[in-house]
């Protein structure tokens, strides 16, 4: 709740305490697989707030701990679809973070692993809409990294598949994912010189995010700000960037982009 309210340092303290408590519990009984799973989740939450604060290197330790733990859990019980899905999500987030810290090749490898893990699960668990949305998010992030590597053809195929998988979502989280995918698609179009198509994708992303009042969490606001930057709506984008800076939001990728764009 503190993180969603923008009280990032207070959230960090709570997550650090949680990790320490769960580590202590697991030392008492290392065979408790449920406790091990909960510790992995705690590492993921702490990594997320560290990323929000711009401490990407510190976050890496916890992203790796999350992935390592779920890899161990899946070795213990390979039939557990939830654990395999969580491992894929962990690799997705680790891959994104690796790219932000200068390891684009390693990031792409983790995204590829995440897709390979989750695709067969989604093919079987057809009623789990959120898992399909997870796969779409992985593909959208993969597209962003592929575009950064110069492989825009492969990036376009990935992001178009992500948009297709997300469809027309009603739930907020899925809307945010779709807006991000459309943002990436527009960036690929722009890099290919397709200015009209790029603007259409960015406008669609903006429409998905309306009304703006529904978004409160820092990461959600950051996606909205990136869309507005892409559209050239400087006044609204500047207001959101200022709002994020006021709460100490320091995601390195976002802040670098905002400075490059003159915000």
């Amino acid at each position: 709740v503190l993180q969603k309210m923008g009280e990032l340092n207070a959230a960090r303290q709570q997550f650090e305490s949680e990790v320490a408590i769960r580590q202590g519990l697991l030392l008492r009984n290392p065979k408790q697989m449920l406790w091990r799973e909960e510790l992995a989740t705690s590492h993921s939450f702490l990594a997320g707030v560290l990323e929000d604060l711009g401490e990407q290197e510190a976050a890496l330790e916890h992203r790796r701990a999350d992935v390592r733990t779920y890899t161990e859990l899946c070795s213990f019980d390979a039939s557990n679809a939830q654990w395999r899905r969580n491992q894929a999500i962990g690799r997705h987030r680790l891959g994104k973070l690796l790219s932000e810290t200068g390891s684009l090749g390693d990031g792409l490898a983790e995204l590829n692993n995440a897709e390979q893990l989750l695709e067969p699960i989604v093919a079987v668990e057809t009623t789990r809409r959120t898992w399909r949305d997870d796969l779409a998010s992985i593909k959208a992030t993969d597209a962003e990294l592929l575009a950064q590597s110069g492989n825009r053809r492969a990036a376009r195929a990935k992001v178009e598949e992500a948009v297709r998988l997300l469809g027309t979502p009603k739930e907020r989280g899925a809307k945010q994912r779709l807006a991000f995918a459309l943002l990436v698609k527009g960036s690929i179009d722009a890099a290919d010189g397709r200015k009209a198509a790029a603007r259409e994708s960015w406008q669609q992303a903006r429409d998905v995010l309306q009304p703006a009042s529904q978004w409160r969490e820092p990461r959600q606001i950051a996606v909205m700000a990136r869309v507005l930057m892409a559209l050239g709506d400087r006044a609204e984008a500047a207001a959101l960037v200022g709002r994020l800076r006021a709460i100490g939001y320091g995601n390195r990728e976002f802040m670098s982009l905002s400075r490059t764009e003159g915000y």
Side-chain angles (χ1 to χ4, degrees), residues 122-135:
V122 170
V124 173
E125 302 283 346
T126 55
T127 61
R128 293 183 182 262
R129 171 63 192 259
T130 56
W131 290 16
R132 189 169 75 244
D133 292 350
D134 291 333
L135 179 60

Side-chain angles (χ1 to χ4, degrees), residues 51-72:
E51 290 168 9
D52 285 354
L53 287 164
E55 300 185 31
Q56 265 70 4
E57 284 76 14
L60 269 174
E61 172 192 346
H62 298 284
R63 289 288 180 218
R64 287 183 170 127
D66 174 31
V67 170
R68 183 170 60 249
T69 301
Y70 272 112
T71 301
E72 292 169 355

Side-chain angles (χ1 to χ4, degrees), residues 16-140:
E16 286 175 339
S17 295
E18 182 185 14
V19 167
I21 291 167
R22 293 198 187 282
Q23 285 175 329
L25 286 168
L26 202 57
L27 283 173
R28 295 183 186 184
N29 190 348
K31 294 182 179 181
Q32 272 280 5
M33 294 300 147
L34 177 59
W35 292 1
R36 193 176 295 275
E37 178 185 9
E38 289 171 341
L39 175 58
T41 301
S42 300
H43 278 299
S44 181
F45 278 125
L46 178 53
V49 80
L50 288 169
E51 290 168 9
D52 285 354
L53 287 164
E55 300 185 31
Q56 265 70 4
E57 284 76 14
L60 269 174
E61 172 192 346
H62 298 284
R63 289 288 180 218
R64 287 183 170 127
D66 174 31
V67 170
R68 183 170 60 249
T69 301
Y70 272 112
T71 301
E72 292 169 355
L73 288 169
C74 290
S75 296
F76 175 76
D77 182 4
S79 67
N80 191 315
Q82 181 73 54
W83 286 353
R84 287 185 288 134
R85 174 260 185 187
N86 289 351
Q87 184 190 8
I89 297 304
R91 290 191 178 279
H92 169 206
R93 292 169 177 164
L94 175 60
K96 175 65 173 172
L97 184 55
L98 284 167
S99 74
E100 292 176 5
T101 54
S103 301
L104 181 57
D106 291 340
L108 282 166
E110 288 294 346
L111 265 294
N112 184 57
N113 287 336
E115 284 187 69
Q116 290 183 358
L117 281 167
L118 194 52
E119 278 186 325
I121 301 171
V122 170
V124 173
E125 302 283 346
T126 55
T127 61
R128 293 183 182 262
R129 171 63 192 259
T130 56
W131 290 16
R132 189 169 75 244
D133 292 350
D134 291 333
L135 179 60
S137 286
I138 292 170
K139 290 180 181 293

Side-chain angles (χ1 to χ4, degrees), residues 7 9 15 25 48 57 84 144 159 167 176 186 190 220-221:
E7 298 184 31
N9 282 303
F15 289 140
L25 286 168
E57 284 76 14
R84 287 185 288 134
E144 184 181 42
V159 79
Q176 180 187 347
Q220 296 169 346
I221 296 169

